[in-house]
Amino acid sequence: MSAPTARVAVAFSFAAKYSTLALRTVGLLVLARLLPPEEFGVFATAAAIVTLVFVFAEFGLNSHLIQARRLTRALVAAALGLASVLNLVAVTLIVALAWLLPWTQTVPEASTVLLLLAAAAAVGPIALPAAAKLQRGMRFDRLLVIDFVRSIVGVGGSIALVAAGWGVVGLAWAAVAESVSGVALTLALGAGRRPVMPALRGWGIALRFGGPLALVGGFRQAAEAGTTLLISGLLGHTAAGVYARALTVKTLLHKAVVEAVSPVVLPVLSRETRQGRDLGGLYLRKIGALTALHWPFFAVLALLAEPLVLLVLGPQWAAAAPVVRVLALAGLFDPFGALSLKFFVALGANAAFLRIQACVVTARLVAVGLLAMVSLEAAALGLVAGAAVRAVGATLWLERRLDVSWAAIGSRLVQAAVLTAFSVAGPAVLLLVTGWPADLAVGLAGGALGALGWGAGLVVTRHELGGELLRAATALRGRLVAWTAFHHRLSWRR
């Protein structure tokens, strides 16, 4: 059976992301009302530490297996052996931190949360070969099932345990359950008949490929964890919790769109590169599609920060609204940096992206560290600085390597600017008329007006994203018609 096409894979990936996003949004709405900011700040700090340690254990091995020309048993065994050793080192380090960090001595739940989150991360490599095999084969229909089941276990477990009085420890136990269920299902759906055992040799290729990616991931998590830890240390755990929740609102679009497309991008780019095709056209389509989504979304988010925070997080998180507004500025740079790493990996330029990432982390942490002494809103400007550096660095490098003209990029940006103007017109007028209230009804009405304006802008600019959405709607309508006809015939026979 032939592998599904890229468009079919994207459709399944979007279905997976939106179904899981819906479940996690429900969890966010419930948990934001069950856990106070200071408790969630403890969980966010522990998660930042564990993520920072385990990002080095990932070592880019999933990308290594996806982009490899041939997925041999020796290659998989070497990757699995390297992953096992790296995860053992990471677990050992987390255990040491759980006993030695002063923070774990003053916060009773901190060490338990750290150890449980480490256990959740440590089981992941067991399913590494199976997950890479599913992605290489574009089997995102099976990945949809895996992600959906994981989300049910994670969200359901979090709500049940927190409601039962387990607090942040309940969140950590739910993370363990989510990870174990995901690994088990991935093995069931993606593993071959002959299991591959880890090998302690043949690591050379994986080390050369994964070294720069491990450092890229380490720098990225250093920026995330460093930002949280700087805010927590300079402004307190409550400020860290407010920042984490504001970042959750800011990343809604990233989770809904970029993370949905991301699993498909590297397999497609790797296939195109192996066949000797140019990636310039795909890069321009990426810039056009993401600016058409990000610029209008973040412009409207900046206008409607207060009512949207009220809607998503509840009134007790009102302090997050000014931070959300600042983070929306960083979101305007996201289309240029998002998914860029996939292009660097497909082009074999991991080291080039590593240099860019080093500059990003430096700019971000220096800015956050200095501005956090002023206020939380000022500290959030550090993310704007990091996003700007990443956007400039990645765009300049890819523009030269892919021989993409600035005129072609500029035409996409002009279309995005027009779309943004159409999107913000309705919400801006509404806020001027109503006097900028932090009102739930105003937020819903403003969001609806923004969506209508965006749709009108797609028609006026004849943006290619509009054509893709129209094709997707047509395909969905065809499937619904076919399902209705089948159901009617089945009922008639009965």
Side-chain angles (χ1 to χ4, degrees):
M1 186 175 69
S2 62
T5 64
R7 185 169 279 124
V8 171
V10 168
F12 276 116
S13 189
F14 264 98
K17 182 52 61 178
Y18 284 131
S19 59
T20 57
L21 180 63
L23 288 170
R24 296 190 186 280
T25 300
V26 171
L28 171 65
L29 294 173
V30 175
L31 291 172
R33 290 156 176 81
L34 292 177
L35 277 179
E38 57 272 17
E39 286 195 45
F40 187 80
V42 172
F43 181 84
T45 303
I49 294 172
V50 171
T51 303
L52 178 59
V53 172
F54 273 87
V55 71
F56 293 100
E58 294 175 3
F59 212 73
L61 293 173
N62 185 63
S63 297
H64 171 54
L65 296 180
I66 291 173
Q67 61 81 44
R69 290 189 175 275
R70 294 182 62 245
L71 197 62
T72 63
R73 290 181 63 84
L75 186 72
V76 172
L80 196 56
L82 180 57
S84 301
V85 172
L86 291 173
N87 271 264
L88 179 60
V89 173
V91 170
T92 303
L93 181 56
I94 292 295
V95 171
L97 291 174
W99 287 101
L100 298 176
L101 281 178
W103 173 62
T104 61
Q105 309 303 317
T106 57
V107 180
E109 304 89 352
S111 59
T112 303
V113 173
L114 271 174
L115 294 174
L116 287 173
L117 291 180
V123 300
I126 298 173
L128 175 66
K133 179 181 176 183
L134 290 173
Q135 285 188 268
R136 281 179 67 97
M138 310 285 276
R139 297 311 307 266
F140 289 90
D141 51 343
R142 297 185 181 184
L143 292 170
L144 164 63
V145 175
I146 295 168
D147 289 344
F148 189 73
V149 171
R150 281 188 52 154
S151 297
I152 290 177
V153 173
V155 173
S158 297
I159 294 174
L161 291 173
V162 172
W166 287 61
V168 291
V169 176
L171 289 182
W173 273 114
V176 173
E178 178 180 347
S179 183
V180 170
S181 64
V183 166
L185 198 52
T186 302
L187 291 174
L189 296 178
R193 295 181 179 179
R194 296 172 56 200
V196 178
M197 300 302 295
L200 299 179
R201 61 181 184 276
W203 292 1
I205 297 176
L207 288 170
R208 288 192 295 273
F209 178 90
L213 285 186
L215 290 175
V216 166
F219 278 133
R220 183 179 63 249
Q221 294 305 327
E224 298 292 342
T227 300
T228 301
L229 295 175
L230 281 171
I231 292 174
S232 178
L234 294 173
L235 298 172
H237 290 311
T238 299
V242 171
Y243 163 74
R245 284 309 192 193
L247 194 62
T248 299
V249 177
K250 184 262 180 182
T251 55
L252 285 175
L253 180 65
H254 182 85
K255 294 179 181 298
V257 177
V258 177
E259 289 187 6
V261 177
S262 181
V264 184
V265 173
L266 183 57
V268 170
L269 294 178
S270 298
R271 182 185 64 188
E272 296 294 297
T273 303
R274 286 193 291 266
Q275 295 175 355
R277 295 174 182 168
D278 180 43
L279 302 183
L282 291 175
Y283 176 71
L284 285 174
R285 293 187 68 184
K286 188 267 288 192
I287 292 292
L290 292 186
T291 51
L293 289 166
H294 283 70
W295 285 12
F297 175 83
F298 285 110
V300 173
L301 179 61
L303 287 175
L304 301 174
E306 284 82 4
L308 288 180
V309 166
L310 180 65
L311 171 65
V312 176
L313 302 179
Q316 71 272 32
W317 293 91
V323 185
V324 169
R325 183 169 285 112
V326 175
L327 294 179
L329 295 177
L332 298 178
F333 293 99
D334 286 353
F336 306 97
L339 303 177
S340 292
L341 177 58
K342 308 293 184 182
F343 284 85
F344 281 82
V345 172
L347 294 168
N350 299 352
F353 194 86
L354 174 60
R355 291 190 292 271
I356 295 172
Q357 190 71 4
C359 296
V360 171
V361 174
T362 302
R364 176 169 167 171
L365 292 182
V366 169
V368 170
L370 293 174
L371 295 172
M373 293 185 287
V374 179
S375 67
L376 180 57
E377 293 82 1
L381 287 172
L383 275 72
V384 180
V389 171
R390 184 178 66 159
V392 171
T395 303
L396 288 175
W397 194 94
L398 288 171
E399 175 267 334
R400 290 194 298 267
R401 179 65 179 269
L402 299 177
D403 195 24
V404 175
S405 70
W406 283 105
I409 295 176
S411 65
R412 268 78 176 175
L413 301 187
V414 169
Q415 281 188 313
V418 174
L419 276 172
T420 304
F422 271 87
S423 300
V424 301
V429 171
L430 177 65
L431 290 173
L432 289 173
V433 171
T434 57
W436 297 76
D439 182 77
L440 185 59
V442 171
L444 293 172
L449 289 173
L452 290 173
W454 182 71
L458 287 177
V459 174
V460 171
T461 59
R462 297 183 179 179
H463 199 283
E464 62 181 348
L465 184 60
E468 289 292 336
L469 293 175
L470 183 61
R471 279 191 288 270
T474 302
L476 179 61
R477 179 178 177 275
R479 289 181 180 273
L480 289 175
V481 170
W483 182 87
T484 303
F486 172 78
H487 183 71
H488 177 72
R489 289 195 301 269
L490 187 63
S491 300
W492 180 81
R493 288 177 182 176
R494 289 178 179 175

